[in-house]
Amino acid sequence: MTPVQKTLRLVLGDQLNEKHSWFQQVDKNITYVMMEIRQETDYVNHHIQKVLAFFAAMRAFAERLRDMGHRIIYLKLDDPGNHQRLDANIRTVLDQHNIGSFEYLLPDEYRLDSQFKELAKTLPVPCHAADTEHFLTVREDLAQWFSGKKRYLMESFYRWMRKRYGILVEAGKPVGGQWNFDKKNRETYRGQVPLPEPLLFNNDVRDLYQMIQRNTVKTIGNVIADKLIWPVNRDQSLALLRHFVAEALPVFGTYQDAMTASSWQLFHCRLSFSLNTKMLSPMEVIAAVLQAWENHPDKIGIQQIEGFIRQILGWREYMRGIYWTLMPDLSVTNFFDHRAPLPGFFWTGNTRMNCLKHAIGQSLDHAYAHHIQRLMVTGNFALLAGIDPDAVDDWYLGIYIDAVEWVEMPNTRAMSQFADGGRVATKPYVSTARYIHAMSDYCDTCIYDWGKRHGKSACPFNSLYWHFFHRNRRRLRKIPRIGMMFRTWDRMEKREQSQILQQAETHQNRLDRL
Ligand code: FAD
Ligand code: SF4
C-alpha cells in the first residue's frame, strides 16, 4: 500500500479564521505551521501593541487548533531553529517532516503574494493556494466592476454590493429611501449623549513583551504589558462586537466624523484588528448590527445602521479591490512630488498643535485613532506640509493596530495623500482649521487661533492649506470640484496672499517646531 502523502499548511498572522473550511475536519496527515519571524516584525517599525497583539492572537489561535485536535508546529521568535523568514522555515519544516505537498491561504499583501509565487517555483513539492474565505469580494471583482472607467467611485461599488448581498435592499430599492445617509453622519460631539465605557481587555503579555525586548525588535509607541487592551481571540472579539452593538451603535452614524479631546474612541467599534486578523468575518459583524436594528428599531435609526454597514460592506471591500487593482504601481505614486520628511513629533506627540497632539498622542498610547483623525488631522497635515508619501505610508503602516498594507496603503496613499493623482478620491482631502474646529473641541484649548491665517498665533493649517493650492495649481486646476478654491484665492488681496504664503513657508522650514 502506498503511504498517504503528508501535507503542510501555512497559517499567517492575519489568517486567524477558525471558521475556515480547512479547520472543520481533523486529518492526521495534515500539519499546520505558524511562525513568528523577523521578516514580519522588521519590514516597518511597528507599534509595540501591534506586535504583541499579533503574536498573542497567533499563539491563542495555535492553542485553539490544538484543542480542536489539529497537528500544529508553532515557531516562536526566539526558537533556535527559526530562520526568521517564511521561505527558509517552510523549506526546513517540509524537509524535517518528510512532507509531500504544501498549501497556503492567499495572502492579502502584494509583498507576500510575490514571495509565495517565487517560493512555489522552487519548492521540491507541489504547492497549492486556497482562499481565506473571509472577504465578500475576490481580488479581481473591483477591477471588473470598474473596467473601462477612469475613476473608481466607492458609491457605485457600494450600491452594487448592497444589491449583490441584498443588504438594506428591498425590491432593488434602498431601505429608508436613500442609499447613503452620509449627511446625517456629521454631528459634532459636545456631550449630548454619554460616552460608553470602553471595553478594554487585560491581556497579560509580559512574556511576549520580554521576548520582544530580548530580541531587540525595534518598535514605536507605549504599552502596559500586563494589560494589552486589544482582543486576542475570537471570544474577546465577539465580546467587543456585542459591546459595540449595545453601547455605541445607536449613535455610531451620528458622531462618526466627530472628534473630541475627552475620548479616544468615541462611538467607534474598534473591531478593525479582529476583522483584519480574520478572527471575525465581515458578514457576521454586518449580521450582528442588522439583528440589533431588527430587535430595536425604536432605539437604532437607519442612518446608524447604514453608516456602519457602508464602512464594512463598502469602504473595506472597496479599499481591498483598489489595492489589488493598483498594485504594485500604487506603492510608488507621488503625484505632488512631495519630499519633506515626517516631523519628529509624529513619533512623540510633542507639538503645540492640539489636534495633532491628541491624534498622535492617542496613536502612540493605544495604537488607534479613528478615521477622521487619520484622514483630516494627521493625513491632512502631512499632505498640506508636503511630506513624502513613502514616509507617511510607513508611519501609518507601523503605528496602527489594524495596519495591514492592503487596507493601509489605499487609505493612506490614495485617499489621504492623493498620491495616485485622483483615481480613488475625487479631490484631495485637505481642509483649513475651520473643518477641525467644526468637527472637534481641539481648537478650544489650542495655543493657535483657528480663525487666523497668518501671524504668530495663526493656526498652521490655514496658511499651509492655501500654500498647497497655490503651489499645486497646475496639477489641480482641471479637477472640477476645486475650482471654487482657486476663485476664493484669486479674490484675496495680493498683500494677504503674500503674507499667507510667507507664513506657510516659515512653517515648512520649521515643521518640527510647530
Ligand atoms: P469604525 O469607525 O467603527 O468602522 C467600522 C469598520 O469599518 C472598521 O473596523 C473597518 O473595518 C471598516 N472601515 C471603516 N473605514 C474604512 C476604510 N476607510 N477602509 C477600510 N475599512 C474601513 N483601516 C484599517 O483597517 N487598517 C489600516 O491600516 C487603515 N489605515 C488607514 C489610514 C488612513 C490614512 C485612513 C484615513 C484610514 C485608514 N483606515 C485603516 C480606515 C479606518 O480609519 C479604520 O478602519 C478605522 O479607524 C478602524 O477603527 P474602528 O474599527 O473603530 O472603525
Ligand atoms: Fe489644530 Fe489649528 Fe485647531 Fe490648533 S487651532 S487644534 S492646530 S486646527
Side-chain angles (χ1 to χ4, degrees):
M1 222 169 69
T2 41
V4 182
Q5 184 177 275
K6 290 201 266 178
T7 297
L8 183 69
R9 285 178 171 175
L10 173 74
V11 181
L12 295 172
D14 67 346
Q15 297 178 336
L16 312 180
N17 173 9
E18 68 175 62
K19 301 284 176 197
H20 193 278
S21 54
W22 266 12
F23 309 120
Q24 303 317 307
Q25 271 181 345
V26 174
D27 183 337
K28 64 180 177 18
N29 292 306
I30 295 175
T31 302
Y32 292 93
V33 62
M34 296 179 72
M35 51 186 90
E36 299 165 3
I37 43 177
R38 293 305 290 258
Q39 173 189 322
E40 295 306 297
T41 56
D42 296 1
Y43 69 85
V44 78
N45 211 355
H46 299 284
H47 197 295
I48 178 69
Q49 292 187 36
K50 184 181 170 194
V51 182
L52 289 168
F54 265 94
F55 284 179
M58 286 167 65
R59 289 185 181 192
F61 190 73
E63 260 332 289
R64 174 86 183 119
L65 290 190
R66 250 179 224 123
D67 290 347
M68 288 162 90
H70 295 289
R71 281 170 194 249
I72 171 135
I73 297 170
Y74 190 95
L75 289 171
K76 292 184 177 169
L77 194 73
D78 52 359
D79 279 346
N82 188 338
H83 302 295
Q84 307 299 342
R85 278 189 59 82
L86 271 171
D87 39 14
N89 280 340
I90 289 163
R91 280 180 209 288
T92 304
V93 175
L94 286 173
D95 196 41
Q96 281 173 347
H97 296 263
N98 197 21
I99 289 172
S101 70
F102 173 64
E103 296 179 2
Y104 63 97
L105 295 172
L106 279 176
D108 292 316
E109 284 170 83
Y110 191 86
R111 161 183 80 84
L112 293 171
D113 202 55
S114 309
Q115 191 180 14
F116 282 125
K117 282 183 182 143
E118 282 308 307
L119 180 67
K121 284 186 207 155
T122 55
L123 275 188
V125 299
C127 194
H128 175 72
D131 195 86
T132 55
E133 299 170 11
H134 172 82
F135 290 100
L136 304 170
T137 43
V138 295
R139 286 177 182 178
E140 299 77 17
D141 271 352
L142 187 115
Q144 269 168 25
W145 169 248
F146 285 109
S147 142
K149 301 191 180 81
K150 246 181 155 178
R151 284 233 162 76
Y152 302 140
L153 284 183
M154 195 309 264
E155 187 60 26
S156 58
F157 169 79
Y158 169 54
R159 290 181 191 188
W160 175 63
M161 289 291 283
R162 290 263 297 271
K163 287 186 201 149
R164 188 179 182 187
Y165 281 94
I167 292 174
L168 296 179
V169 170
E170 264 168 23
K173 297 265 181 302
V175 172
Q178 274 169 244
W179 288 103
N180 188 316
F181 289 83
D182 197 23
K183 291 209 174 77
K184 292 194 171 167
N185 298 156
R186 294 177 192 160
E187 283 276 319
T188 318
Y189 181 72
R190 295 273 175 187
Q192 299 90 324
V193 288
L195 289 162
E197 194 60 41
L199 176 60
L200 307 177
F201 299 98
N202 281 333
N203 289 307
D204 189 338
V205 287
R206 275 175 290 190
D207 288 352
L208 266 174
Y209 181 71
Q210 280 161 13
M211 180 191 77
I212 288 164
Q213 298 302 312
R214 263 196 322 274
N215 287 276
T216 58
V217 175
K218 216 171 151 212
T219 58
I220 50 173
N222 311 315
V223 69
I224 304 173
D226 59 346
K227 288 190 178 54
L228 182 75
I229 61 168
W230 295 99
V232 296
N233 56 44
R234 186 167 156 78
D235 284 349
Q236 290 185 348
S237 300
L238 286 168
L240 192 57
L241 172 59
R242 284 193 297 273
H243 181 266
F244 166 71
V245 168
E247 305 292 332
L249 180 63
V251 291
F252 171 84
T254 307
Y255 301 112
Q256 201 169 325
D257 287 0
M259 298 177 280
T260 171
S262 55
S263 165
W264 58 274
Q265 58 167 11
L266 268 158
F267 303 95
H268 293 270
C269 69
R270 287 199 297 109
L271 288 169
S272 48
F273 177 70
S274 299
L275 278 163
N276 294 353
T277 48
K278 304 183 180 62
M279 293 189 289
L280 292 183
S281 80
M283 202 39 104
E284 74 184 322
V285 173
I286 291 172
V289 303
L290 285 173
Q291 186 65 55
W293 182 51
E294 231 173 272
N295 294 348
H296 304 286
D298 49 326
K299 269 210 246 85
I300 312 175
I302 177 77
Q303 72 272 31
Q304 320 297 345
I305 297 296
E306 187 284 316
F308 186 76
I309 287 177
R310 191 186 333 130
Q311 309 308 315
I312 310 243
L313 185 70
W315 282 110
R316 189 167 185 267
E317 296 289 327
Y318 169 77
M319 284 304 185
R320 175 165 181 264
I322 288 290
Y323 179 75
W324 285 106
T325 308
L326 300 185
M327 281 300 276
D329 298 352
L330 179 64
S331 65
V332 290
T333 48
N334 189 353
F335 179 68
F336 296 114
D337 196 26
H338 282 165
R339 302 283 166 197
L342 210 55
F345 60 73
F346 270 74
W347 310 102
T348 61
N350 205 353
T351 167
R352 287 173 301 166
M353 301 176 77
N354 205 31
C355 51
L356 282 163
K357 187 189 167 111
H358 276 281
I360 296 171
Q362 70 166 71
S363 303
L364 291 166
D365 285 345
H366 304 299
Y368 180 86
H370 68 72
H371 186 71
I372 294 299
Q373 292 174 308
R374 298 186 204 195
L375 187 68
M376 297 311 293
V377 179
T378 41
N380 185 9
F381 179 82
L383 180 53
L384 294 179
I387 312 296
D388 188 330
D390 286 350
V392 185
D393 237 349
D394 278 359
W395 187 79
Y396 281 100
L397 186 57
I399 200 153
Y400 291 117
I401 194 78
D402 53 33
V404 195
E405 194 185 84
W406 66 265
V407 53
E408 175 279 326
M409 190 178 281
N411 267 299
T412 303
R413 266 197 126 97
M415 191 72 185
S416 152
Q417 299 302 296
F418 205 77
D420 65 336
R423 293 189 76 183
V424 175
T426 48
K427 63 181 178 64
Y429 276 90
V430 284
S431 77
T432 60
R434 184 177 289 277
Y435 175 85
I436 297 172
H437 173 66
M439 293 312 299
S440 79
D441 53 15
Y442 295 143
C443 304
D444 301 356
T445 49
C446 185
I447 192 167
Y448 293 108
D449 184 337
W450 71 270
K452 286 194 178 157
R453 294 198 282 233
H454 48 80
K456 216 169 163 205
S457 64
C459 170
F461 273 95
N462 296 335
S463 54
L464 289 172
Y465 175 86
W466 289 113
H467 193 276
F468 169 81
F469 282 106
H470 174 73
R471 71 175 182 267
N472 289 307
R473 188 169 196 135
R474 191 180 45 80
R475 292 186 175 95
L476 294 174
R477 67 173 178 230
K478 288 203 187 118
I479 299 179
R481 291 180 65 195
I482 50 186
M484 201 186 75
M485 229 70 72
F486 289 120
R487 285 195 289 282
T488 308
W489 173 249
D490 292 341
R491 276 199 301 269
M492 275 184 216
E493 280 180 22
K494 287 281 166 273
R495 190 176 136 78
E496 177 71 0
Q497 286 183 345
S498 102
Q499 278 176 316
I500 292 173
L501 295 180
Q502 231 173 40
Q503 178 72 77
E505 276 152 32
T506 310
H507 289 324
Q508 278 176 326
N509 291 331
R510 49 188 277 283
L511 289 176
D512 267 324
R513 286 162 55 201
L514 286 174

